[in-house]
Each structure stands twice: as structure tokens, then as C-alpha cells.
Amino acid sequence: MAEDKNIQFTNSKEKDLSKYKENVELSDVTGRYRVIDRVKKISVKVGFHTEREALEFAFEFFEKKKKG
């Protein structure tokens, strides 16, 4: 049963992370991922090795931004 809860938590987090996929892009020059604020048209943070790291950062950044 503990595994079921863990899988559900992971799946819900994956869905949350996928909301921010449009704010993460791969740099052609460096080959690393960056998080972009499309509203302000700026790079928030650059240099992520994996898309997952960038998505997790984007999730935390934009969720904090929403809350104020």
C-alpha cells in the first residue's frame, strides 16, 4: 500500500511539473536547460543538466511567485 501512495504522489507531481514544460528549454549553444519567464521575457536560471532539474526549479519558482 505504501508503494501505491508513492506512485500516486509521483504521478501527481509529474502532472504538476508538466505544467511548466513551456518554461523550460534546451540551449543549442551550451546543451543545458534553462528556465524562462515568458511573461517578463527573461531567463530565470540557466545551467541545468537535466530537464527534470529544470522542471523542479520552475515548479518551485512559479508556485512561490503565485503565492506572493
Side-chain angles (χ1 to χ4, degrees):
M1 283 207 188
E3 289 181 21
D4 291 340
K5 288 182 182 179
N6 190 24
I7 290 170
Q8 289 174 349
F9 175 75
T10 303
N11 288 342
S12 67
K13 187 166 184 172
E14 289 292 330
K15 289 178 187 175
D16 290 342
L17 291 178
S18 68
K19 291 191 305 188
Y20 297 103
K21 209 166 183 97
E22 66 187 29
N23 296 91
V24 172
E25 69 179 30
L26 180 63
S27 171
D28 294 333
V29 177
T30 63
R32 295 192 180 180
Y33 291 90
R34 60 181 166 224
V35 176
I36 298 172
D37 187 339
R38 300 250 184 232
V39 175
K40 294 182 180 178
K41 298 180 182 172
I42 59 169
S43 291
V44 177
K45 190 168 181 181
V46 298
F48 294 101
H49 293 281
T50 64
E51 185 179 29
R52 173 89 180 177
E53 289 175 4
L55 285 170
E56 287 175 355
F57 176 82
F59 175 78
E60 291 175 14
F61 178 80
F62 290 110
E63 289 298 314
K64 285 180 184 176
K65 191 174 173 182
K66 279 184 190 177
K67 291 179 181 176

